[in-house]
Amino acid sequence: MAGNSFGNTFKLTSFGESHGAGIGGVIDGCPAGILIDFDFIQQELNRRKPGQSKITTQRKEKDEVEFLSGIFEGKTTGTPIGFFIRNTNQKSKDYAHIKETFRPSHADYTYQQKYGIRDYRGGGRASARETASRVVAGAIAKQILSQIGIEITAFVSAVGMIRLEKNIEVVDLTKVEANIVRCPDENLANQMIAHIEKVRKEGDTIGGVVSCIIRNPPVGLGEPVFDRLEAELAKGMLSINAVKGFEIGSGFEGTKQRGSVHNDAFVIENNEVKTLSNNSGGVQGGISNGENITFKVAFKPVATIMQQQQSINEKGEAVQIEGKGRHDPCVVPRAVVIVEAMAAITILDFYLRNKAIKI
Amino acid sequence: MAGNSFGNTFKLTSFGESHGAGIGGVIDGCPAGILIDFDFIQQELNRRKPGQSKITTQRKEKDEVEFLSGIFEGKTTGTPIGFFIRNTNQKSKDYAHIKETFRPSHADYTYQQKYGIRDYRGGGRASARETASRVVAGAIAKQILSQIGIEITAFVSAVGMIRLEKNIEVVDLTKVEANIVRCPDENLANQMIAHIEKVRKEGDTIGGVVSCIIRNPPVGLGEPVFDRLEAELAKGMLSINAVKGFEIGSGFEGTKQRGSVHNDAFVIENNEVKTLSNNSGGVQGGISNGENITFKVAFKPVATIMQQQQSINEKGEAVQIEGKGRHDPCVVPRAVVIVEAMAAITILDFYLRNKAIKI
Amino acid sequence: MAGNSFGNTFKLTSFGESHGAGIGGVIDGCPAGILIDFDFIQQELNRRKPGQSKITTQRKEKDEVEFLSGIFEGKTTGTPIGFFIRNTNQKSKDYAHIKETFRPSHADYTYQQKYGIRDYRGGGRASARETASRVVAGAIAKQILSQIGIEITAFVSAVGMIRLEKNIEVVDLTKVEANIVRCPDENLANQMIAHIEKVRKEGDTIGGVVSCIIRNPPVGLGEPVFDRLEAELAKGMLSINAVKGFEIGSGFEGTKQRGSVHNDAFVIENNEVKTLSNNSGGVQGGISNGENITFKVAFKPVATIMQQQQSINEKGEAVQIEGKGRHDPCVVPRAVVIVEAMAAITILDFYLRNKAIKI
Amino acid sequence: MAGNSFGNTFKLTSFGESHGAGIGGVIDGCPAGILIDFDFIQQELNRRKPGQSKITTQRKEKDEVEFLSGIFEGKTTGTPIGFFIRNTNQKSKDYAHIKETFRPSHADYTYQQKYGIRDYRGGGRASARETASRVVAGAIAKQILSQIGIEITAFVSAVGMIRLEKNIEVVDLTKVEANIVRCPDENLANQMIAHIEKVRKEGDTIGGVVSCIIRNPPVGLGEPVFDRLEAELAKGMLSINAVKGFEIGSGFEGTKQRGSVHNDAFVIENNEVKTLSNNSGGVQGGISNGENITFKVAFKPVATIMQQQQSINEKGEAVQIEGKGRHDPCVVPRAVVIVEAMAAITILDFYLRNKAIKI
């Protein structure tokens, strides 16, 4: 089976290409009777959309979503929600040079080999433009989670070597949207912005890290042994373009520790079960324990660079290739909302799945 | 839907508890006509089984698997393969002390809250003993992959601060099984073993990292946009007990790099498409590119320590708790084969899924 | 999980309502490299569309489909195919009278109770207009099956008591489209048409039967024990509005027979394995045996009648209700292509699934 | 993907062959905290087991089920329930004659062609013995449904031409188990028994019909548009060996009727919404409306007859074949509990799925 659906009970099926008619999706399993805040959805799309600041690609897309079904008089009806975002600013001519050439570290070669055909314009289906559909579904999931009291916030914690080392639980999340790089530390944010501008001027790109915290989750989310909460989160994050790593809680750092240091002691605070530390990242045995769920996502540098690179063409000949078109020098500022969206879909899905545990 | 199945086309459904009748599984979708090497399956189980060396738990289990269906005259028939490993060495009395107490960083609390009931003996379903079913399925998947020419090898690359920094592609994989900690560098292996023994004597535990390489994969494995190769690998790995992180290719290290350094240039070698570097870890756009697939898995320190810890009981009272029973001081030596198993299931599943791309 | 997807490997996800923006779908898992005949898709839609003849509803819809993704330069790319048919001729005012009233034998009551909300206009999601998306997917499936040599043909075999008793295998299938009721027996067809007109004039409706034959299937389609060929066909057919029964091969008639009469003897004809009779309907043990696959589908009379009926409203008060709007007096002429579509999706899905049986 | 799982949220995965080690299954998604009545499960197995009366096969199997996981101190834990029934009375020698020969209207030929290999002994995986796993899962589902107030009862309504024509809703269901053929009309039951004995003496077999009624279902079960209640019921029934047809409510008889006769008028009785008739069979728009759910299942005559038949062998040569071994002359008396089991699994599955409709 093909892999363009995500989620079991709250399920997004995604379609669309970068330079085709547009990007869309179908959400099946959205709970009925939810009043939709369309402005919020657009705001979320705006956080992802190209051309939003000087450190993103300059492609201009309004990214306006049309809802095609599943909503009646402003409310969800429990039937599938179809939606579509038309592409309006494609410049397919920018891509004529890659029609028969495979860009290094892009999906051109693998799509061509797997399917025997590809829409090469703008990366086609492999373009990160596809994530717009995730943002729409994520914005709806967030609204529903918000009613349950769950809040999801991501932010940029690293651009290249510039790194926010603070414990994620003490970061001031109100500052995330205060700057264009979406790092809640103003000083670091300025460094990051300057670095991205420098890298861009050099025709290069740079990687980064997005951190995410899910506050106030209920106990009980996650379906072990395979569909653990952290396993589905990992899948969701690794399904985002350019992601190369995922950590929950202590992550790779925790591999250096001893159990006596790493264990999260249980205590009772205000009649609630809490843990003194949260190295577990809010998950034990694949199930949320009620603490904040915290994780990090690694993004590699964007593959399209404005420099000469060695590559090959469809005939297997060596060629030189140089990036054209409009591209991001660093993907993490726009990826923040995508990480949140995938987290929201995952958490809502588990929330709904958890309802079947007891009759 | 509950989450005890993994894979789409080659699908393992797992069942069983640590101190119940045993651990089992059903493989649905195993290709027909495969001659099964039962000795190999037992060897793989032996690599996972407790009591195999001085640095693992001393629980003694033969871990002998009985095949219940799906194999006729030594060959798979295409019908579901049921199998079962009886528990023989349970000491449930060791667990009476946790009947009403939640061990820190264990699944006791979350299972109790989610299901309202739990088999507390030995962690029940949350025990890593459950992974035996994965090893059986993995051993069958490996045999099939081997016929296609794909080889999967994992090894221990870190125990606490002792770390093998070598590029995974130049490690001597023939040395993995040469020592009990399964680190292919003899010098480091000795340090790791000594460290584990020291930690154990102190009643403590230690984390570690397992690295894995999949050699000779075909181009075309992976089903974007959600079921990318790396996304399903990440899910599979994060579904293993105690795993807190996953990296493919350059992983978190790659977030520090520039595109001009990170990109993997295409070249033609011996009439084959290759890349000069492999920061992608063998995957581009969610699809294997024919290079080796490389990834790392982070294991936290085992939660059960032989030291007093603060915790609570079911009544919400503060209690002191100390580990009893037989436990691993470090899980990575036994986890190597589990990582390989989940990788093998994932790769075979994608291999079979990929057959439906063209008529 | 919600139920708006059909198929495993070739999978249609459907969305849309009768009086909303339109009807659409996403096909995930369509094989790559297929040249699409768009005219054929429109022809198939025309066979289903309202207003096509004097014996169907007079609602006029062009039913023009826009493809939103997954097709590049006329060929499928292996990525999801999104499509949409805009509604253009809704007369929602016709439905104001049912806003708070439940029509007998309609889905008004059950949708309202299940979801707590419903788009009452034209039946909303429960309208048979939804089947347009199936016809689009079916038309694509048919084109692919045609390349493999498989042909699917349905026809009307009964309208009320007027019944074509002929063995389905000797019916002249070239005559199906020769008349507006789609019964290949001209004499019976004329009787059926006259009967439908009479029934309509009386403000009433009438049931009927659609028969279907799948010619030249390969041996091996079907995935027992649960996903038998006939089980998925039955599900597909019972998922169509107004369907109340399904028979494969001898069906209910076969329950009266003895094994010595019913069994299909194997013979060799022209070096091919054949059966002398085909009471099995082309399926044995849930798997196609290479004979024609034959089945029948029972459609109840349309629920909307132009007569006074007893019913209740949302307050639980007894009311009289009479149909308004434009409706079919008999659904089977338009259902022929829907039956074919669901059969085509099912057969192609099994064809693709069958490819994973051997490595 | 292979097809040995049924259900979405309450999911049975089945394995095992007629003459292998045994028949088993895994239930994933069983609600937690259910006290299991093991005696009831055995009683249900006894209703299915061979050798129970003079009109069934004389193979003697105790059909004792061992539960392998998922139950702790008598209660379900929410983890997967593995179970196994060992075969004890195989007489594989009875099947040596079909090792290289394909029995007419059996699955020998299709399994051999599909998989390239088959366990020919007793039909292997294609044997109706596989349904024992369904009965176990069904017995658990029934216990849970019983707590919600839902009762499922099936009975034999036809053996050959001997037919119970009574409306299913007025049949005295307390009489079903009063005789060995499981027809609640004593007079007809005696005729059926005599007829089956006569048929058996002639070395022949006979078909029949099982009717089923689900009493007291809640409103709201079913997930349109594809996973309608009747669609999943149809799939479940057609997945049973020897089934060739399914009808819900008025079924094929309803195709002869007019809407004015067929429609089920809504009324209020004792402050509850009811319908005056129940031609819908308890389902409207794919969703239960609270009325009894009624359906019929057609079983063809058993294929194994003790008469000479024409067939072919693996070399494609014409052969004569005659049934050996111990077989049922008529399958419906033993099929009653299988129909109930598949209905129970389906209804419980929809009950659990329905919980995700609202937050």
Side-chain angles (χ1 to χ4, degrees):
Chain A
M1 63 193 335
N4 292 286
S5 296
F6 187 82
N8 282 274
T9 299
F10 183 88
K11 179 164 61 175
L12 169 65
T13 298
S14 156
F15 63 91
E17 287 93 25
S18 175
H19 287 230
I23 297 291
V26 184
I27 302 165
D28 201 15
C30 186
I34 305 291
L35 189 67
I36 296 295
D37 180 344
F38 295 99
D39 289 340
F40 176 72
I41 296 171
Q42 189 59 50
Q43 286 163 29
E44 292 285 275
L45 281 168
N46 291 350
R47 293 172 72 204
R48 195 213 71 92
K49 81 175 176 188
Q52 64 182 267
S53 79
K54 63 184 176 180
I55 57 170
T56 70
T57 169
Q58 296 308 303
R59 176 172 172 172
K60 295 285 184 192
E61 287 282 0
K62 284 193 175 172
D63 280 356
E64 286 177 350
V65 61
E66 180 189 11
F67 285 94
L68 305 174
S69 67
I71 299 173
F72 181 60
E73 297 178 345
K75 285 185 179 167
T76 60
T77 61
T79 61
I81 300 171
F83 60 87
F84 195 56
I85 298 165
R86 285 204 184 266
N87 294 328
T88 59
N89 193 244
Q90 310 100 302
K91 296 197 177 174
S92 300
K93 272 181 289 184
D94 286 351
Y95 295 94
H97 71 298
I98 58 157
K99 185 174 175 179
E100 290 164 353
T101 301
F102 303 127
R103 291 169 296 172
S105 290
H106 266 285
D108 304 331
Y109 173 68
T110 50
Y111 268 67
Q112 184 67 40
Q113 292 301 107
K114 181 179 182 72
Y115 301 107
I117 181 176
R118 77 184 201 276
D119 178 354
Y120 57 85
R121 300 166 306 167
R125 181 70 180 148
S127 165
R129 183 152 180 72
E130 164 269 317
T131 58
S133 73
R134 308 180 186 212
V135 172
V136 173
I140 290 174
K142 272 187 185 179
Q143 294 184 40
I144 298 170
L145 291 174
S146 183
Q147 294 190 21
I148 309 164
I150 305 172
E151 299 296 335
I152 298 176
T153 312
F155 55 87
V156 169
S157 56
V159 168
M161 300 297 291
I162 308 165
R163 307 210 147 215
L164 177 64
E165 304 290 358
K166 228 177 196 172
N167 182 328
I168 190 170
E169 307 226 23
V170 299
V171 165
D172 182 354
L173 299 172
T174 65
K175 300 275 176 60
V176 175
E177 295 295 317
N179 57 67
I180 57 176
V181 79
R182 295 195 171 91
C183 173
D185 180 304
E186 190 182 346
N187 183 26
L188 281 177
N190 288 334
Q191 292 178 45
M192 288 172 176
I193 293 165
H195 189 59
I196 293 172
E197 291 193 288
K198 176 172 181 291
V199 164
R200 181 216 289 272
K201 275 178 199 146
E202 295 169 15
D204 215 339
T205 60
I206 186 77
V209 177
V210 173
S211 295
C212 188
I213 182 165
I214 302 169
R215 290 175 292 173
N216 199 32
V219 185
L221 306 186
E223 300 291 330
V225 295
F226 294 114
D227 296 359
R228 290 167 185 255
L229 178 49
E230 65 269 42
E232 292 289 353
L233 275 177
K235 178 180 169 180
M237 298 307 144
L238 267 292
S239 80
I240 301 171
N241 305 50
V243 171
K244 305 302 282 185
F246 171 85
E247 293 182 319
I248 189 151
S250 62
F252 279 89
E253 201 56 31
T255 67
K256 300 174 183 168
Q257 299 181 351
R258 289 188 172 209
S260 55
V261 172
H262 193 274
N263 280 358
D264 299 321
F266 282 115
V267 291
I268 303 289
E269 279 184 13
N270 303 322
N271 289 316
E272 277 188 30
V273 176
K274 304 295 290 176
T275 60
L276 281 180
S277 53
N278 188 13
N279 288 310
S280 298
V283 183
Q284 283 162 343
I287 299 169
S288 64
N289 66 357
E291 299 296 310
N292 291 330
I293 298 164
T294 59
F295 61 89
K296 291 182 185 173
V297 187
F299 288 82
K300 68 167 189 174
V302 173
T304 302
I305 59 176
M306 301 298 148
Q307 300 182 6
Q308 287 284 325
Q309 294 179 91
Q310 186 175 351
S311 195
I312 58 168
N313 63 19
E314 284 191 26
K315 296 175 196 153
E317 300 161 337
V319 295
Q320 288 288 310
I321 187 168
E322 184 176 334
K324 289 182 191 173
R326 301 156 297 179
H327 299 276
D328 288 279
C330 180
V331 82
V332 285
R334 291 176 61 202
V336 162
V337 69
I338 304 166
V339 165
E340 289 176 2
M342 293 308 294
I345 296 169
T346 304
I347 295 296
L348 178 56
D349 190 42
F350 276 123
Y351 181 84
L352 296 172
R353 289 171 76 174
N354 194 41
K355 300 182 80 170
I357 296 300
K358 295 174 194 160
I359 57 168
Chain B
M1 63 193 336
N4 292 286
S5 294
F6 188 83
N8 282 274
T9 300
F10 183 88
K11 180 164 59 176
L12 169 65
T13 298
S14 157
F15 63 92
E17 287 92 26
S18 174
H19 287 231
I23 298 290
V26 184
I27 302 165
D28 200 17
C30 185
I34 305 291
L35 188 68
I36 295 295
D37 180 344
F38 295 99
D39 289 341
F40 176 72
I41 296 171
Q42 190 59 50
Q43 287 164 29
E44 292 285 275
L45 280 168
N46 291 350
R47 292 173 72 205
R48 195 212 72 91
K49 82 174 175 188
Q52 65 182 268
S53 78
K54 62 183 177 180
I55 57 169
T56 70
T57 169
Q58 294 309 303
R59 176 172 172 171
K60 296 284 184 192
E61 287 282 2
K62 283 193 174 173
D63 281 356
E64 286 177 351
V65 61
E66 180 189 10
F67 285 94
L68 306 174
S69 66
I71 298 172
F72 181 59
E73 297 179 347
K75 284 186 179 169
T76 61
T77 60
T79 62
I81 299 171
F83 60 86
F84 196 55
I85 299 166
R86 286 205 181 265
N87 294 328
T88 59
N89 193 243
Q90 309 102 303
K91 296 197 177 172
S92 300
K93 273 182 287 184
D94 285 350
Y95 294 94
H97 71 300
I98 58 156
K99 185 174 176 181
E100 290 163 355
T101 301
F102 303 126
R103 292 169 294 172
S105 290
H106 266 284
D108 304 332
Y109 174 69
T110 50
Y111 268 67
Q112 184 67 40
Q113 293 301 107
K114 182 179 181 73
Y115 300 108
I117 182 177
R118 77 184 201 277
D119 179 352
Y120 58 84
R121 301 166 304 168
R125 180 70 179 147
S127 165
R129 182 151 180 73
E130 165 268 318
T131 57
S133 74
R134 308 179 185 213
V135 172
V136 174
I140 290 174
K142 272 187 185 178
Q143 293 183 40
I144 299 170
L145 290 174
S146 183
Q147 294 189 21
I148 309 164
I150 304 172
E151 300 296 335
I152 298 175
T153 313
F155 56 87
V156 169
S157 57
V159 169
M161 300 297 292
I162 307 164
R163 309 209 146 215
L164 178 64
E165 304 290 359
K166 227 177 196 174
N167 182 328
I168 190 170
E169 307 227 23
V170 299
V171 164
D172 182 353
L173 300 172
T174 64
K175 299 277 175 61
V176 176
E177 295 296 318
N179 57 67
I180 57 176
V181 79
R182 295 197 170 90
C183 173
D185 180 304
E186 190 183 346
N187 183 27
L188 281 177
N190 288 335
Q191 293 178 44
M192 289 171 175
I193 293 165
H195 190 58
I196 293 172
E197 291 192 287
K198 176 172 181 292
V199 164
R200 181 216 289 268
K201 274 178 201 147
E202 295 169 14
D204 215 340
T205 59
I206 186 76
V209 177
V210 173
S211 295
C212 186
I213 183 166
I214 302 168
R215 288 175 293 173
N216 200 33
V219 186
L221 307 187
E223 299 291 329
V225 294
F226 294 115
D227 296 357
R228 288 167 188 256
L229 178 49
E230 64 270 43
E232 292 289 353
L233 275 176
K235 178 180 169 179
M237 297 307 145
L238 267 293
S239 80
I240 301 172
N241 306 49
V243 171
K244 305 300 283 185
F246 170 86
E247 294 182 318
I248 189 151
S250 62
F252 279 88
E253 202 54 33
T255 68
K256 301 174 182 167
Q257 298 180 353
R258 289 187 172 211
S260 56
V261 171
H262 192 274
N263 280 357
D264 299 320
F266 283 114
V267 291
I268 302 289
E269 279 181 10
N270 305 322
N271 288 316
E272 277 188 31
V273 175
K274 304 294 290 176
T275 60
L276 281 180
S277 52
N278 187 13
N279 289 309
S280 299
V283 183
Q284 282 162 344
I287 300 168
S288 65
N289 67 357
E291 298 297 309
N292 292 331
I293 298 165
T294 60
F295 61 89
K296 290 183 185 172
V297 187
F299 289 82
K300 67 167 187 172
V302 173
T304 301
I305 58 176
M306 302 299 149
Q307 301 182 5
Q308 287 285 324
Q309 292 180 91
Q310 188 175 350
S311 195
I312 57 168
N313 64 19
E314 282 191 26
K315 298 174 195 154
E317 300 162 337
V319 295
Q320 289 287 310
I321 188 168
E322 184 175 336
K324 291 182 189 171
R326 301 155 296 178
H327 299 276
D328 288 279
C330 180
V331 81
V332 286
R334 291 176 61 203
V336 162
V337 69
I338 305 167
V339 165
E340 289 175 1
M342 293 308 294
I345 296 170
T346 304
I347 296 296
L348 178 56
D349 190 43
F350 276 122
Y351 181 84
L352 296 172
R353 288 171 77 175
N354 193 43
K355 299 181 80 170
I357 296 300
K358 295 173 196 161
I359 58 168
Chain C
M1 64 194 334
N4 293 286
S5 295
F6 187 82
N8 282 275
T9 299
F10 182 89
K11 179 163 61 174
L12 169 65
T13 298
S14 157
F15 64 91
E17 288 92 26
S18 174
H19 288 230
I23 297 291
V26 184
I27 302 165
D28 201 16
C30 186
I34 305 291
L35 189 67
I36 296 295
D37 180 344
F38 295 98
D39 290 341
F40 176 72
I41 296 171
Q42 190 59 51
Q43 286 164 31
E44 291 285 276
L45 281 168
N46 291 351
R47 291 173 72 203
R48 195 213 72 93
K49 81 174 176 188
Q52 66 181 267
S53 78
K54 61 183 177 180
I55 57 170
T56 70
T57 170
Q58 294 309 301
R59 175 172 173 172
K60 295 284 187 195
E61 287 282 0
K62 283 193 175 173
D63 281 355
E64 286 176 351
V65 61
E66 180 189 9
F67 285 95
L68 305 174
S69 66
I71 299 172
F72 181 60
E73 297 178 347
K75 284 186 179 169
T76 61
T77 60
T79 62
I81 299 171
F83 60 86
F84 195 56
I85 299 166
R86 286 206 181 264
N87 294 329
T88 60
N89 194 243
Q90 310 101 303
K91 296 196 177 174
S92 300
K93 273 182 287 184
D94 286 351
Y95 295 93
H97 71 297
I98 58 156
K99 185 175 173 179
E100 290 162 354
T101 301
F102 302 127
R103 292 169 296 171
S105 290
H106 266 285
D108 304 331
Y109 173 67
T110 50
Y111 268 68
Q112 184 67 40
Q113 293 301 107
K114 182 179 182 72
Y115 300 107
I117 181 177
R118 77 184 202 277
D119 179 354
Y120 58 84
R121 301 166 305 166
R125 180 71 180 147
S127 164
R129 182 151 180 74
E130 164 269 318
T131 57
S133 74
R134 309 180 185 212
V135 172
V136 173
I140 290 173
K142 272 187 185 179
Q143 293 182 39
I144 299 170
L145 290 174
S146 183
Q147 294 189 20
I148 308 165
I150 305 173
E151 299 295 334
I152 298 176
T153 312
F155 55 86
V156 170
S157 57
V159 168
M161 299 298 291
I162 308 164
R163 307 209 148 218
L164 177 64
E165 304 290 358
K166 226 177 197 173
N167 182 328
I168 190 171
E169 307 227 23
V170 299
V171 164
D172 182 353
L173 299 172
T174 65
K175 300 277 176 60
V176 175
E177 296 296 317
N179 57 67
I180 57 176
V181 80
R182 296 198 169 90
C183 174
D185 180 304
E186 190 183 348
N187 184 26
L188 280 178
N190 288 334
Q191 292 177 45
M192 288 171 176
I193 293 165
H195 189 59
I196 292 172
E197 291 192 288
K198 177 171 181 293
V199 163
R200 180 216 288 270
K201 275 178 198 146
E202 295 168 13
D204 215 340
T205 60
I206 187 75
V209 177
V210 172
S211 295
C212 187
I213 183 165
I214 302 168
R215 290 174 292 173
N216 200 32
V219 185
L221 306 187
E223 298 292 330
V225 294
F226 294 115
D227 296 358
R228 288 167 186 254
L229 179 49
E230 64 270 44
E232 292 288 352
L233 275 177
K235 178 180 171 180
M237 297 306 146
L238 268 292
S239 80
I240 301 172
N241 305 50
V243 170
K244 305 301 283 184
F246 170 86
E247 295 181 318
I248 189 151
S250 63
F252 280 89
E253 202 55 34
T255 68
K256 301 174 182 168
Q257 298 179 354
R258 289 187 172 211
S260 55
V261 172
H262 192 274
N263 280 357
D264 298 321
F266 282 113
V267 292
I268 302 288
E269 279 181 10
N270 303 322
N271 288 317
E272 277 188 31
V273 175
K274 304 294 290 175
T275 59
L276 282 179
S277 52
N278 187 13
N279 288 310
S280 299
V283 183
Q284 282 162 345
I287 299 167
S288 65
N289 67 356
E291 299 295 310
N292 292 331
I293 298 165
T294 60
F295 61 89
K296 290 183 185 173
V297 187
F299 288 82
K300 68 168 187 172
V302 173
T304 301
I305 58 176
M306 301 298 148
Q307 301 181 5
Q308 287 285 323
Q309 293 181 91
Q310 187 175 350
S311 194
I312 57 167
N313 64 20
E314 282 192 26
K315 297 174 196 155
E317 300 162 338
V319 295
Q320 289 287 311
I321 188 169
E322 183 176 335
K324 290 182 190 171
R326 300 155 299 177
H327 299 276
D328 288 279
C330 180
V331 81
V332 286
R334 291 176 60 203
V336 162
V337 70
I338 305 167
V339 165
E340 290 175 2
M342 293 307 294
I345 296 170
T346 304
I347 295 296
L348 178 57
D349 190 41
F350 277 123
Y351 181 85
L352 296 173
R353 288 171 76 175
N354 193 43
K355 299 181 79 169
I357 295 302
K358 295 172 196 162
I359 58 167
Chain D
M1 63 193 338
N4 292 286
S5 295
F6 186 83
N8 282 274
T9 299
F10 182 88
K11 179 164 61 174
L12 169 65
T13 298
S14 156
F15 63 90
E17 287 93 25
S18 174
H19 288 231
I23 298 290
V26 184
I27 302 165
D28 201 15
C30 186
I34 305 291
L35 189 66
I36 295 295
D37 180 344
F38 295 100
D39 289 341
F40 176 72
I41 297 171
Q42 190 59 51
Q43 286 164 31
E44 291 285 276
L45 281 168
N46 291 349
R47 292 173 72 204
R48 195 213 71 92
K49 81 176 177 187
Q52 65 181 269
S53 78
K54 63 184 176 179
I55 57 171
T56 70
T57 169
Q58 295 308 302
R59 176 172 173 172
K60 296 283 185 193
E61 286 283 1
K62 284 193 175 174
D63 280 356
E64 285 176 351
V65 62
E66 180 189 10
F67 285 94
L68 306 175
S69 66
I71 299 172
F72 181 59
E73 297 178 346
K75 285 186 179 167
T76 60
T77 60
T79 61
I81 299 171
F83 61 86
F84 196 56
I85 298 166
R86 286 206 182 266
N87 294 328
T88 59
N89 192 245
Q90 311 100 302
K91 296 197 177 173
S92 301
K93 271 182 289 184
D94 285 352
Y95 295 93
H97 70 298
I98 58 158
K99 185 174 175 179
E100 290 163 355
T101 302
F102 303 126
R103 292 169 296 170
S105 290
H106 266 284
D108 303 332
Y109 174 67
T110 51
Y111 268 67
Q112 184 67 41
Q113 293 300 107
K114 181 179 182 72
Y115 300 107
I117 182 177
R118 77 183 202 276
D119 178 354
Y120 58 86
R121 301 166 304 166
R125 180 73 181 146
S127 164
R129 182 152 180 73
E130 165 268 317
T131 59
S133 73
R134 307 179 186 213
V135 172
V136 173
I140 290 174
K142 272 186 183 179
Q143 294 183 40
I144 298 170
L145 290 174
S146 183
Q147 294 189 20
I148 308 165
I150 305 172
E151 300 296 334
I152 298 176
T153 312
F155 56 87
V156 169
S157 57
V159 168
M161 301 297 291
I162 308 165
R163 306 209 149 216
L164 177 64
E165 304 289 358
K166 227 178 197 173
N167 182 327
I168 190 171
E169 307 226 23
V170 298
V171 164
D172 182 354
L173 299 172
T174 65
K175 300 276 176 60
V176 175
E177 295 297 317
N179 57 68
I180 57 176
V181 80
R182 296 198 170 88
C183 174
D185 180 305
E186 190 183 345
N187 183 25
L188 281 177
N190 288 334
Q191 292 178 45
M192 288 170 175
I193 293 165
H195 189 59
I196 293 171
E197 290 193 288
K198 176 173 182 293
V199 164
R200 180 215 290 270
K201 274 179 198 145
E202 295 168 13
D204 214 340
T205 59
I206 186 75
V209 177
V210 173
S211 295
C212 186
I213 183 165
I214 302 169
R215 290 175 293 173
N216 200 31
V219 185
L221 307 186
E223 300 292 329
V225 295
F226 294 115
D227 295 358
R228 290 168 185 254
L229 179 50
E230 65 269 43
E232 291 289 353
L233 275 176
K235 178 180 169 180
M237 297 307 146
L238 267 293
S239 79
I240 301 171
N241 305 51
V243 171
K244 305 300 282 185
F246 171 86
E247 293 182 321
I248 188 151
S250 62
F252 279 90
E253 201 57 30
T255 67
K256 301 173 182 168
Q257 298 180 354
R258 288 186 173 213
S260 55
V261 172
H262 192 275
N263 280 358
D264 299 320
F266 282 114
V267 291
I268 302 289
E269 279 181 10
N270 303 323
N271 288 316
E272 277 188 30
V273 176
K274 304 295 290 176
T275 59
L276 282 180
S277 52
N278 188 13
N279 288 310
S280 299
V283 184
Q284 282 162 342
I287 299 168
S288 65
N289 66 357
E291 300 295 310
N292 292 330
I293 298 164
T294 59
F295 61 89
K296 291 183 184 173
V297 187
F299 287 83
K300 67 167 189 173
V302 172
T304 303
I305 58 176
M306 301 298 149
Q307 301 181 4
Q308 287 284 324
Q309 293 179 91
Q310 186 174 351
S311 196
I312 58 168
N313 63 20
E314 283 192 25
K315 297 175 196 153
E317 300 162 336
V319 295
Q320 289 288 309
I321 187 168
E322 184 176 335
K324 289 182 191 172
R326 301 155 297 177
H327 298 276
D328 287 279
C330 180
V331 82
V332 285
R334 292 177 60 203
V336 162
V337 69
I338 304 167
V339 165
E340 289 175 1
M342 293 308 293
I345 296 169
T346 304
I347 295 296
L348 178 57
D349 190 42
F350 276 123
Y351 181 85
L352 296 172
R353 289 171 75 174
N354 194 42
K355 299 182 80 171
I357 295 301
K358 294 171 195 161
I359 58 168

